[in-house]
Amino acid sequence: MSTSPQLPAESAVASGTVTDRLVEANQDYASGFTDPGMDARPVLQVAVVACMDARLDLHAALGLELGDCHTIRNAGGAVTDDVIRSLTISQRALGTRSVVLIHHTGCGLESLTEDFRHELEAEVGQRPSWAVEAFRDVDQDVRQSMQRVRTSPFLLHTDDVRGFVFDVKSGLLREIAPTG
């Protein structure tokens, strides 16, 4: 079941692909769009790093509005080199001071292993340069993510780094202590 606004059936069929549907929806959005007059600096000076899972509506779950935060998402909400890159720019160029890490229950990375990379190599003839970042214990993975942020030499603000697990069944956040 989709929670996104639905276009009329004839419109969706006429447009052909999902991307066509999205472009059409953007046309509707843009027709009523007004420049909110804000800059790229988040009002709340916070960056949220979370999993890309489609069940996480971060703005709704956290009571956020447009312009409140920077949102960085990837598979598992893993704190990778690219996440550190984004956080560094967020802090040093755009004024964020707090980092919120959100993993979730029932994450697909709990069922993968690093063998996924080897399987890709066998299929396409090249091993990916990135790690899968698979895990078995979501709480421990949040702790690892907090540690990666707190120990990064590139980040200016590592005193307000907090990690949570979002329960996809209840919608509640559960805070994870930095040490088990």
Side-chain angles (χ1 to χ4, degrees), residues 107-113 134-136:
C107 184
L109 286 185
E110 290 176 291
S111 62
L112 287 177
T113 67
F135 61 89
R136 296 284 176 249

Side-chain angles (χ1 to χ4, degrees), residues 4-176:
S4 62
Q6 298 297 310
L7 296 174
E10 64 277 0
S11 176
V13 172
S15 61
T17 69
V18 172
T19 303
D20 292 332
R21 177 180 162 241
L22 299 176
V23 170
E24 186 176 330
N26 173 257
Q27 295 295 316
D28 292 341
Y29 171 78
S31 69
F33 183 78
T34 305
D35 179 358
M38 53 179 76
D39 72 17
R41 293 176 178 272
V43 173
L44 299 179
Q45 297 181 319
V46 63
V48 178
V49 178
C51 185
M52 65 185 191
D53 192 291
R55 296 171 290 182
L56 278 67
D57 182 348
L58 292 175
H59 277 74
L62 301 175
L64 296 168
E65 300 291 331
L66 182 67
D68 283 348
C69 73
H70 283 158
T71 306
I72 304 161
R73 295 181 77 159
N74 66 21
V79 177
T80 61
D81 286 346
D82 195 57
V83 168
I84 294 295
R85 170 188 162 272
S86 293
L87 288 172
T88 301
I89 293 166
S90 177
Q91 287 189 357
R92 291 178 175 265
L94 297 165
T96 60
R97 301 185 63 82
S98 300
V99 178
V100 173
L101 304 166
I102 301 178
H103 291 39
H104 66 92
T105 58
C107 184
L109 286 185
E110 290 176 291
S111 62
L112 287 177
T113 67
E114 290 299 319
D115 287 340
F116 183 74
R117 293 174 68 236
H118 301 292
E119 293 163 6
L120 283 172
E121 179 181 21
E123 180 183 328
V124 303
Q126 180 179 340
R127 182 180 306 145
S129 59
W130 38 263
V132 176
E133 297 283 347
F135 61 89
R136 296 284 176 249
D137 180 339
V138 68
D139 290 17
Q140 182 54 36
D141 201 54
V142 172
R143 284 186 201 96
Q144 174 180 278
S145 293
M146 285 189 282
Q147 187 65 14
R148 285 180 178 175
V149 171
R150 287 189 172 126
T151 60
S152 173
F154 306 109
L155 299 176
L156 295 172
H157 308 289
T158 58
D159 54 323
D160 188 14
V161 178
R162 293 172 64 186
F164 300 85
V165 174
F166 177 86
D167 187 311
V168 298
K169 301 286 187 203
S170 71
L172 291 172
L173 290 176
R174 177 172 52 84
E175 188 158 9
I176 303 299

